[in-house]
Amino acid sequence: MFKPSYPALAILAILASSRGVDAACTSGTIATLAAGASCTYDNFVAALSADCAASIADLFLNEATGLPLDEAARRAEVEALCEYDAPTQFVEIQGSYQDDRRYFAGGSDLVDGSSSWNVLSGKIKRFEANLGTKTVIAFPEYAARIDYNSQNNLGANGYPANMNLEKSCSLNTIMCCFTDASISSFAANADATTDVCRHDLRDSPQSNHIANGWSVFPGAETPTHCVGFTWNDGEEELLGNMMYEVSLRQTATKGYRQGVPGAPMCGCVEHMPVVESAKCRTAVKDPAGIVYSFQYNEDSGYVSASNTVAITYQDCANADLAAQYKANHADDVETAALIDEHLVGAGNCDADLEEYLNDEQFLLEGQHPRRYAQIDHSVWSDLVVGEGIRFLPPNPDPIVADTAFRALIEAGCKNADGTPRYCMVRRFCDSCPHDSHIDIYYKRKTTLPPMGTNTTNGEVYFLDLFMNQWTSYKNILNTDFELYSNYQDALNGVNKWMACNYDSSGVGFPRDCGPRDTSVGEWNSYTNHNWFERANHHGFYVEKPSA
Ligand SMILES: *[C@@H]1O[C@H](CO)[C@@H](O)[C@H](O)[C@H]1NC(C)=O
C-alpha cells in the first residue's frame, strides 16, 4: 500500500533549510538522471555536473551550524527529495489545501459555478497545459491534515477526507460523481450518465458535516456522470495522476462540477453514493520511464527535485469501473463481489433502494404474497365474524347469529357433478404463524346438529364452534368435515388435512388441527386470550353458491 508521509512532510520542512552558501554550483539544473533511472543518491551523484560534484559538500548544509552534512545525511536528504519532492504535489494544481478540500467535498467557487469560473479553471488549465500530461503527480496529501488525522484515528498521514488510503479505501477504488455539465454536456463528451441510488450520510461526515442519515434518489434525477479508477496493491505510482484525471482534469477540460447532494464529489467508493455504474479511467507512463532532475537555487541555497515523463490518460481495459475492479480480483470471488455494494449495475437501483430502506425500517409499500388478502366477494360472503384487522363481533343473540350463519352454509352450494352440499366455511388468518393456517377451508360432510344452546339436548351453537369452542361433538375430521389449505383443493377433495384435536375450553377453530401434524398457536377465541392464541387477526366467510 501507499506509504503515509507524515515523516516526509516533516522532512520537507528541514529541507527548506538545507542551504549551500559557498557552492561552486550555479543556479539551474544540476543533475538529470537517465530516463528510467531510479531516483537515488548514487544516481544523483553520478549525474551531477563536474563543478557540482566537486563541491557536493556545499550543496547540503546543516541549518543550525552552517557546516556541510556528512554523506549519510546527504543521502537521507536526497532520498527524501526523491520520495516527496520529485513527484509533482497535487496541491500545486490549484494552489492550496483549502481549495482541494472544498473541491473534493463538492463546494468551492470553482464547483458552485460562481462568476470566477474562468479565473479558477484557468489555473487548472495552465497546469494541464504545462504539466498535466508530463509529470508524475503525487496522490493528495496535505500538511494541514496531519494533526487532524492523527487526532481522529485516521492514521499518521495527510490524506484528505474520504480519501484515506491507509484507513478507509480498502477496495482500492476512487470515484468522482458530477451532476452539473452545463458548461458543455455529458453527451458532448460521450460520457455516460448513471442512475444514483442513495447515499448514506454516515459514510462522509467529514464533507457533509452530518453524523447520521441518508439521501435516497428514487426514480430519475439530474443527469449524473461518475468516473473513477481502481488499482492493485503495488500499482500506486500513478495514483496521483489518476486522481487528477477523474477530478480536476474533468472539471477543467469538460466543465464538470457539483456532486450528489449529501455526498462528496470525490472519494474512495466506500464514502461515495451508491450508483449503478461509473466510467473507468487509468493513467500510463511512457515506457522509457521517468526522468528525474535536480535543481539548485544559488540565492536560497535549496536543492529541489522534479520529474518529467509522458503520461497518457485512457479508458481502462474493461468496460466500466465495476468490471475493471472485478477483473483485478478475478481470482477471489468474495472480494470481487464487494464492489456490487457500491456500483450496483444498470437497472439495479430500485432493488438496492428497496433493500436499503427495508434495512432502515422504512418499509416500502407492497403486498405480502399471502397475508392481508382481499376476499373475493363474488365467491365469498361478507365477513361473518372476525377479530383484529377483520374485526366484526357476532350478533349478541346466539340464535340470531347462528340462524344467519347456518343460512349461508345452507344456501345451496353444489358439487361439480351437481349434487347438493353445504357451502364451505373459510377462515382467513393474517397473523397465523404458519403459511398452512393463513387460509383454511371447512367443508361439512354430515348433517348439521340442531341449532340451539341446550348442549345436553344435542343442540349446537354452530358459529360458536368456530369462534370459541372447537368440540368433537358431531365434529370429527374426515368424518363430519374436511379441512383444506386452499379453495381449489377443497373443491377437488385433494390434500385434505390429516391431524386434529378438539375440546379445550375456550379454544376455537381449529384448535391444533394441521395438514399433517397438529400445530400449536393457530386457533382463535373471542373469549379466551392467552399466549398460544396467535390468530388475533382473522375473519370468517362462507362460500356463495355459484350462479
Ligand atoms: C335441555 O334439554 C334437556 C333434555 O331435553 C332438558 O331436560 C332441559 O330442560 C333443557 N334445558 C333448557 C335450559 O331448556
Side-chain angles (χ1 to χ4, degrees), residues 470-507:
W470 180 245
T471 57
S472 58
Y473 174 68
K474 295 197 172 174
N475 191 53
I476 299 293
L477 179 71
N478 295 332
T479 299
D480 298 301
F481 69 94
E482 293 163 355
L483 294 174
Y484 299 90
S485 293
N486 68 68
Y487 187 40
Q488 208 55 46
D489 281 356
L491 288 172
N492 297 333
V494 299
N495 301 321
K496 59 180 76 163
W497 286 21
M498 302 304 293
C500 240
N501 57 4
Y502 320 83
D503 304 319
S504 178
S505 178
V507 173

Side-chain angles (χ1 to χ4, degrees), residues 453-459:
T453 54
N454 188 343
T455 50
T456 54
N457 201 23
E459 294 170 2

Side-chain angles (χ1 to χ4, degrees), residues 416-434:
D417 64 5
T419 54
R421 63 168 170 81
Y422 289 117
C423 296
M424 287 182 239
V425 177
R426 175 185 186 186
R427 188 190 77 172
F428 196 94
C429 176
D430 307 276
S431 60
C432 283
H434 291 101

Side-chain angles (χ1 to χ4, degrees), residues 17-49:
S17 60
S18 298
R19 293 147 172 269
V21 178
D22 298 318
C25 271
T26 50
S27 287
T29 299
I30 56 173
T32 300
L33 308 195
S38 302
C39 191
T40 63
Y41 179 71
D42 293 337
N43 286 341
F44 163 73
V45 171
L48 277 176
S49 63

Side-chain angles (χ1 to χ4, degrees), residues 116-137:
S116 51
W117 162 253
N118 284 332
V119 175
L120 295 168
S121 66
K123 195 166 186 176
I124 309 170
K125 286 173 180 163
R126 282 193 296 281
F127 176 84
E128 169 66 14
N130 293 326
L131 283 173
T133 58
K134 301 184 186 82
T135 187
V136 172
I137 302 169

Side-chain angles (χ1 to χ4, degrees), residues 364-399:
L364 288 196
E365 202 175 307
Q367 173 71 50
H368 187 279
R370 295 203 61 210
R371 299 176 197 273
Y372 316 110
Q374 299 282 338
I375 302 300
D376 177 0
H377 291 296
S378 68
V379 182
W380 299 92
S381 71
D382 290 343
L383 183 60
V384 178
V385 284
E387 288 187 302
I389 60 172
R390 296 177 193 266
F391 175 76
L392 183 67
N395 188 297
D397 182 339
I399 300 301

Side-chain angles (χ1 to χ4, degrees), residues 69-123:
L69 296 177
D70 63 15
E71 189 184 343
R74 287 203 298 272
R75 188 177 286 273
E77 294 270 328
V78 170
E79 281 169 3
L81 282 174
C82 284
E83 192 167 1
Y84 303 109
D85 193 39
T88 300
Q89 295 302 305
F90 199 93
V91 70
E92 293 172 35
I93 304 170
Q94 289 203 94
S96 83
Y97 163 63
Q98 291 299 341
D99 285 337
D100 285 356
R101 181 184 70 80
R102 295 177 63 205
Y103 174 87
F104 290 140
S108 85
D109 290 341
L110 176 70
V111 167
D112 281 344
S114 77
S115 56
S116 51
W117 162 253
N118 284 332
V119 175
L120 295 168
S121 66
K123 195 166 186 176

